[in-house]
């Protein structure tokens, strides 16, 4: 087959079973977000490149190595969105939403990053996310986390994930810390990885989440940001922790958690799992009080998170919750004379909200097998006798028990 007929590396076709799981995940998150007062929005899939370049950070991998950027026919530089928060901030500013705070938005859709594909990591992937704009209070961080907790619980995944949190403090705390960290790391500059050497001037905090072993070794002795937090920042984090405890949401403090995007301050968090190999982050986010202003909008605090639908879906595989739905029924045509009546019955059942399979090929045995494979709990069998006597044979596919009912008896039971 010619290469042109294959899906591009890092992209996938989502077949019906996977789409069922995606829908289950997005519908569940939409419903829970609604309980928290979030309305759904959808921003365009591409934006002017500046929207991401100016917000995600000069040294962020996403900007430097991973963006799908192209010139359109008019000569504008456009980028397929690598994440949702920058687009939402752009929408917030251009739509003048500062007049109607707070704004709580839920979104879902595809994102694009030129990353090395592996299990749970794709070049086109899907996120669900929430952003709460205009609330300074740490209670908004707690609410956001409670929403993520409720979602992971509703998906049946809460036992497979763990919440890690950290604080990056306010700007003053980070300026104080940055000086100390740079002074410390400068002593080991030659021993740091190439990426970390580059980051030492531009964004030293990112060195903290380097995966490089040499960096990790040096970092064990490094000063902790916690020591340099302002009183306000400490208090902020205390309130977040107390709120989580009050709601019975377990968490771990991970001082190394700094997140890969420049816009964060105060609370940062990640729900992680050990079940997806190298891709441990299932849902991540944090507070970003400076983002809107850095894009030219009015000073507006924000907090939110996003989660990879593919990763949730991989974790769901074992729980099978997505299979919960309306009971499936099969209508089995056992004789040609029963065709039209079966067609009619199938139609009537679907109109009543039942999910109905009507196998149309093979002999009776094949049709029964097909019904079983499709996960039907009941089979309605119509043959010559049933048509003559205007009856329906009802077979329980799990026990094998069957009985023949008049149409009236049947509908009394099934409506
Ligand atoms: P992020 O950590 O870059 O944050 O991505 C959020 C989630 O998207 C990750 O935890 C992961 O589950 C999923 N994800 C990221 N990259 C991939 C990939 N290549 N393939 C599959 N899944 C992936 C953000 O995007 C921020 N906008 C989150 C946020 C919202 N912060 C505040 N508000």
């Amino acid at each position: 087959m010619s290469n042109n007929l294959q899906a591009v590396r890092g992209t996938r076709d989502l077949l019906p079973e996977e789409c069922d799981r995606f829908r289950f995940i997005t519908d569940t998150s939409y419903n829970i977000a609604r309980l928290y007062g979030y309305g759904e929005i959808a921003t365009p899939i591409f934006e002017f490149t500046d929207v991401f370049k100016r917000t995600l950070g000069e040294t962020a991998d996403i900007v430097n190595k991973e963006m799908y950027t192209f010139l359109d026919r008019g000569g504008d530089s456009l980028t397929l969105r690598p994440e949702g928060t920058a687009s939402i901030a752009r929408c917030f500013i251009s739509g003048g939403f500062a007049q109607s705070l707070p704004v709580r938005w839920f979104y879902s859709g595809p994102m694009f990053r030129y990353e090395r594909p592996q299990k749970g990591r794709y070049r086109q992937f899907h996120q669900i996310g929430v952003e709460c704009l205009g609330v300074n209070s740490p209670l908004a961080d707690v609410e956001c986390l409670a929403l993520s907790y409720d979602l992971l619980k509703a998906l049946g995944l809460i036992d497979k994930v763990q919440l890690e949190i950290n604080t990056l403090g306010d700007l003053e705390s980070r300026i104080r810390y940055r000086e100390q960290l740079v002074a410390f790391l400068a002593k080991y500059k030659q021993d740091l990885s190439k990426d970390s050497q580059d980051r030492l001037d531009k964004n030293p905090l990112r060195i903290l989440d380097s995966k490089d072993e040499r960096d990790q070794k040096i970092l064990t002795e490094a000063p902790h940001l916690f020591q340099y937090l302002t009183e306000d920042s400490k208090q902020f984090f205390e309130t977040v922790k107390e709120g989580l405890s009050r709601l019975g949401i377990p968490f771990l403090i991970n001082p190394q958690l700094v997140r890969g995007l420049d816009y964060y301050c105060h609370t940062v968090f990640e729900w992680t799992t050990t079940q997806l190999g190298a891709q441990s982050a299932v849902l991540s986010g944090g507070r970003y009080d400076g983002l809107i202003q850095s894009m030219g909008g009015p000073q507006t605090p924000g907090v939110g998170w996003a989660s990879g639908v593919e990763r949730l879906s991989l974790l769901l595989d074992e729980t099978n919750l997505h299979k919960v739905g309306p009971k499936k029924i099969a209508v089995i045509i056992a004789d040609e004379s029963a065709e039209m009546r079966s067609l009619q019955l199938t139609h009537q059942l679907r109109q009543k909200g039942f999910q109905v399979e009507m196998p149309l090929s093979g002999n009776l045995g094949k049709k029964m097998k097909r019904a079983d494979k499709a996960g039907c709990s009941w089979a309605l069998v119509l043959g010559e006798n049933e048509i003559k006597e205007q009856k329906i044979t009802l077979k329980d596919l799990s026990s094998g028990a069957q009985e023949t009912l008049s149409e009236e008896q049947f509908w009394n039971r099934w409506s």
Side-chain angles (χ1 to χ4, degrees):
M1 188 168 41
S2 130
N3 270 344
N4 291 338
L5 290 180
Q6 281 173 9
V8 174
R9 190 165 132 81
T11 71
R12 299 180 317 141
D13 299 308
L14 300 175
L15 301 177
E17 211 201 309
E18 178 110 50
C19 282
D20 277 352
R21 284 201 294 275
F22 269 48
R23 196 174 276 275
F24 171 64
I25 292 165
T26 41
D27 287 355
T28 306
S29 48
Y30 168 81
N31 288 333
I32 294 175
R34 287 297 295 262
L35 297 179
Y36 280 78
Y38 285 76
E40 182 168 19
I41 77 158
T43 59
I45 279 171
F46 53 83
E47 299 270 354
F48 288 118
T49 301
D50 262 359
V51 168
F52 305 111
K53 226 178 182 168
R54 293 209 336 233
T55 53
L56 306 185
E58 236 189 291
T59 56
D61 282 348
I62 294 189
V63 173
N64 284 330
K65 306 183 195 155
E66 297 170 5
M67 291 205 309
Y68 279 92
T69 296
F70 57 97
L71 289 181
D72 74 359
R73 287 170 192 273
D76 286 318
S77 177
L78 304 179
T79 294
L80 298 183
R81 62 182 184 192
E83 60 106 51
T85 313
S87 306
I88 285 200
R90 193 275 307 142
C91 162
F92 175 86
I93 297 168
S94 61
F97 288 97
Q99 306 311 320
S100 40
L101 297 177
V103 161
R104 288 191 173 87
W105 282 333
F106 164 83
Y107 56 93
S108 69
M111 307 287 161
F112 306 85
R113 296 185 193 177
Y114 192 82
E115 292 190 270
R116 199 164 48 79
Q118 53 177 243
K119 182 179 175 190
R121 188 165 73 194
Y122 310 96
R123 290 182 173 173
Q124 174 174 330
F125 62 100
H126 298 76
Q127 279 186 348
I128 45 168
V130 295
E131 310 292 351
C132 167
L133 294 160
V135 188
N136 269 315
S137 163
L139 295 190
D141 306 40
V142 179
E143 258 196 349
C144 241
L145 279 163
L147 204 175
S148 66
Y149 175 78
D150 285 356
L151 170 63
L152 292 163
K153 223 170 164 185
L155 296 177
L157 302 179
I158 204 69
D159 294 334
K160 298 182 177 184
V161 289
Q162 161 143 295
L163 175 59
E164 298 179 25
I165 63 170
N166 190 22
T167 178
L168 302 180
D170 55 13
L171 196 60
E172 193 188 329
S173 312
R174 282 198 306 284
I175 291 172
R176 286 201 221 167
Y177 177 59
R178 189 187 155 117
E179 267 173 32
Q180 302 298 321
L181 185 67
V182 171
F184 171 83
L185 290 173
K187 293 187 276 182
Y188 303 96
K189 186 163 181 185
Q190 299 315 318
D191 303 323
L192 288 170
S193 66
K194 171 82 182 66
D195 275 353
S196 294
Q197 287 185 15
D198 289 348
R199 285 183 175 140
L200 196 54
D201 296 327
K202 294 182 189 150
N203 191 353
L205 256 67
R206 279 295 314 283
I207 298 176
L208 294 180
D209 73 353
S210 160
K211 304 277 180 289
D212 188 284
E213 269 179 33
R214 286 166 302 170
D215 294 348
Q216 280 300 329
K217 213 166 150 208
I218 295 169
L219 284 169
T220 50
E221 303 286 314
H224 280 291
L225 186 137
F226 208 75
Q227 301 162 260
Y228 301 92
L229 288 181
T230 59
E231 272 316 304
D232 284 354
S233 298
K234 271 189 195 155
Q235 190 49 52
F236 193 100
F237 196 44
E238 284 308 312
T239 309
V240 172
K241 289 190 291 182
E242 190 188 341
L244 290 174
S245 302
R246 284 287 185 99
L247 299 184
I249 302 174
F251 60 89
L252 254 180
I253 296 172
N254 175 359
Q256 310 278 84
L257 183 68
V258 290
R259 311 265 306 121
L261 306 167
D262 270 9
Y263 52 58
Y264 292 112
C265 61
H266 288 295
T267 327
V268 285
F269 52 86
E270 243 167 41
W271 285 93
T272 58
T273 181
T274 50
Q275 301 190 10
L276 292 179
Q279 302 315 308
S280 61
V282 175
L283 182 153
S284 22
R287 180 164 276 277
Y288 49 90
D289 292 348
L291 174 66
I292 305 273
Q293 203 171 21
S294 77
M295 292 176 82
Q299 208 293 318
T300 312
V303 56
W305 52 256
S307 176
V309 180
E310 283 78 2
R311 293 188 190 174
L312 292 171
S313 172
L314 280 165
L315 287 177
L316 259 191
D317 268 353
E318 293 151 42
T319 60
N320 279 336
L321 267 178
H322 56 281
K323 290 197 176 142
V324 176
K327 279 237 157 94
K328 265 195 190 177
I329 305 170
V331 172
I332 306 286
I333 306 171
D335 185 82
E336 223 176 286
S337 61
E339 271 185 3
M340 282 301 148
R341 182 65 197 113
S342 301
L343 187 68
Q344 228 180 352
L345 186 63
T346 301
H347 191 63
Q348 285 167 325
L349 283 164
R350 285 182 182 144
Q351 284 179 328
K352 283 189 184 289
F354 291 100
Q355 195 177 338
V356 192
E357 283 278 319
M358 184 168 61
L360 290 176
S361 56
N363 58 21
L364 188 60
K366 272 242 168 77
K367 286 178 179 168
M368 287 308 241
K369 265 205 189 119
R370 165 97 200 99
D372 210 36
K373 213 171 152 209
C376 298
S377 357
W378 300 90
L380 313 183
V381 188
L382 286 104
E384 218 181 333
N385 284 342
E386 280 83 2
I387 297 300
K388 262 194 219 136
E389 294 167 19
Q390 297 197 351
K391 290 198 164 160
I392 296 170
T393 295
L394 182 63
K395 183 168 179 172
D396 179 338
L397 289 177
S398 47
S399 69
Q402 70 175 53
E403 57 186 320
T404 300
L405 306 172
S406 71
E407 291 232 357
E408 198 189 335
Q409 283 171 322
F410 173 79
W411 284 117
N412 280 343
R413 207 179 283 187
W414 287 80
S415 47

